Amino acid sequence: MKKILALVLALAMVLSIAGIATAEGTDYSKVFKKSINIICPWAAGGGADGNARLFAAQLGEKLGQTVTVSNQTGGSGAVGFSAIIGANPNGNTIGIITAELNTLPPQGLVTFTWADMHPIIEICELPSVVAVKADSPFNTLEELVAYAKENPGKLKVGTVGTGSIWHICAAKFMKAAGIELTTVPYDGAASAAVAMLAGEIDLTTTELSTSHAYVQSGDMRILGIMTEERLADYAEYPTCKEQGYDSVGGSFQGFFCPKGVKEDVKAAWEELATEVWNSEAYQTYCKNAGMVPVYRNSADWSAWLAEDLETVGSLMKELGLTK
């Protein structure tokens, strides 16, 4: 009898840690009683903002409340990352992060790393592309590279913040092609795209998700995608690698919350975010938005982030971007 009682108490403790669970799953209304806010470190209109707003809509439906998105931009993502770390750990604030979380520390631009907040889940990867205006004189990467070699530094490439993953992608492309471009940083991929359409810059090396939308509207042309092989859903875009420029790169996105959030709430967030990731709405969104859905749970993502930080640090040192 004592053994049975001990087992019952142990089971109750496990359920308590895992969340407020029922036979039907977690009762989120008992976990998230106040309004939810998602911090986005990038400007409205970019890939991170789109993901944040899609998740906000889906979370709102599941929670029966309005979920807001606040764009806290600046410092190549540092402002927003800091806001996530410093948010009230009551569980009502989460944030979407991008690869800059691992590119800023090696440069000495921030005093924190991914380990200063809690990973919930990874949701996608975003390949970089080399894109130009639809009326650009360059129809291929070869034409662009030939011009750049004859005119060092004359072409301006839009990136997202100095030292951002998109800045690294520009550096990778320049190194692979043996050219010199003038980099111009913006506060988001959408801002860089608008600047290119306005004639401020000649090309961008930002995310597929933003450029793809402009290709569909007839305003841009993608000359190369920075993946190992062509993507099945975007087979019309040739890789930089197949054109003779071995540059592969891009970003990743996912959700974090402050470290001080209670364990049962962290578990509930992982469960809830996973439900949204598995939804038809999100999978369809990724396919239409130029994103590659990639899922890692909290534990797997923590291990991956730690390894990636080391890899990125070595790469940035090689490219001369470390402090």
Side-chain angles (χ1 to χ4, degrees):
M1 186 68 181
K2 289 182 178 180
K3 289 184 177 181
I4 294 175
L5 180 59
L7 286 172
V8 170
L9 290 173
L11 178 59
M13 184 175 294
V14 169
L15 290 175
S16 175
I17 293 173
I20 304 172
T22 68
E24 291 75 33
T26 301
D27 184 352
Y28 298 122
S29 66
K30 294 182 179 179
V31 182
F32 306 110
K33 298 178 181 179
K34 296 182 179 179
S35 59
I36 302 297
N37 179 50
I38 299 176
I39 294 172
C40 177
W42 301 102
D49 179 71
N51 260 323
R53 293 184 188 281
L54 186 284
F55 263 74
Q58 292 296 306
L59 290 170
E61 288 184 15
K62 290 180 177 294
L63 298 174
Q65 60 172 273
T66 299
V67 178
T68 60
V69 174
S70 59
N71 299 84
Q72 301 190 36
T73 65
S76 297
V79 171
F81 299 151
S82 297
I84 299 168
I85 293 171
N88 189 326
N90 60 8
N92 296 317
T93 299
I94 63 172
I96 189 165
I97 66 89
T98 55
E100 283 71 23
L101 186 60
N102 273 357
T103 67
L104 293 174
Q107 300 173 80
L109 297 176
V110 295
T111 58
F112 57 77
T113 71
W114 68 270
D116 290 301
M117 53 182 115
H118 175 75
I120 299 172
I121 64 167
E122 181 183 6
I123 59 172
C124 71
E125 292 179 354
L126 299 89
S128 177
V129 298
V130 178
V132 296
K133 289 177 63 176
D135 61 358
S136 167
F138 308 118
N139 294 298
T140 65
L141 276 185
E142 185 178 11
E143 292 177 359
L144 187 150
V145 169
Y147 180 87
K149 284 184 176 180
E150 293 179 2
N151 302 272
K154 186 172 182 179
L155 293 181
K156 297 178 181 179
V157 56
T159 67
V160 182
T162 301
S164 71
I165 193 65
W166 310 117
H167 182 196
I168 293 173
C169 288
K172 283 183 176 181
F173 175 59
M174 284 188 272
K175 182 178 180 181
I179 59 176
E180 179 186 343
L181 304 172
T182 298
T183 57
V184 182
Y186 292 90
D187 65 356
S191 300
V194 170
M196 184 167 71
L197 295 180
E200 295 178 17
I201 53 178
D202 303 289
L203 66 148
T204 61
T205 54
T206 57
E207 61 206 50
L208 168 64
S209 57
T210 298
S211 298
H212 177 67
Y214 282 105
V215 170
Q216 290 180 309
S217 66
D219 296 307
M220 279 190 192
R221 188 162 60 242
I222 290 177
L223 302 183
I225 184 169
M226 294 188 186
T227 52
E228 290 286 351
E229 298 177 349
R230 294 198 188 200
L231 298 179
D233 290 329
Y234 308 95
E236 68 272 28
Y237 301 140
T239 68
C240 294
K241 195 170 183 178
E242 73 183 69
Q243 298 177 79
Y245 312 105
D246 191 4
S247 58
V248 175
S251 188
F252 55 82
Q253 293 181 12
F255 289 97
F256 272 70
C257 66
K259 284 191 74 173
V261 173
K262 293 180 180 179
E263 293 304 314
D264 62 330
V265 179
K266 288 177 181 176
W269 264 123
E270 183 175 353
E271 181 182 331
L272 180 55
T274 299
E275 286 183 17
V276 175
W277 187 89
N278 279 311
S279 69
E280 182 179 352
Y282 184 65
Q283 294 299 312
T284 300
Y285 172 77
C286 280
K287 185 173 183 177
N288 293 334
M291 300 177 183
V292 181
V294 174
Y295 177 84
R296 286 187 175 93
N297 63 23
S298 180
D300 290 344
W301 200 24
S302 295
W304 186 89
L305 286 163
E307 183 178 347
D308 181 69
L309 181 57
E310 291 188 13
T311 301
V312 168
S314 298
L315 173 62
M316 295 186 74
K317 186 175 182 180
E318 180 184 337
L319 293 173
L321 296 175
T322 52
K323 186 176 180 181

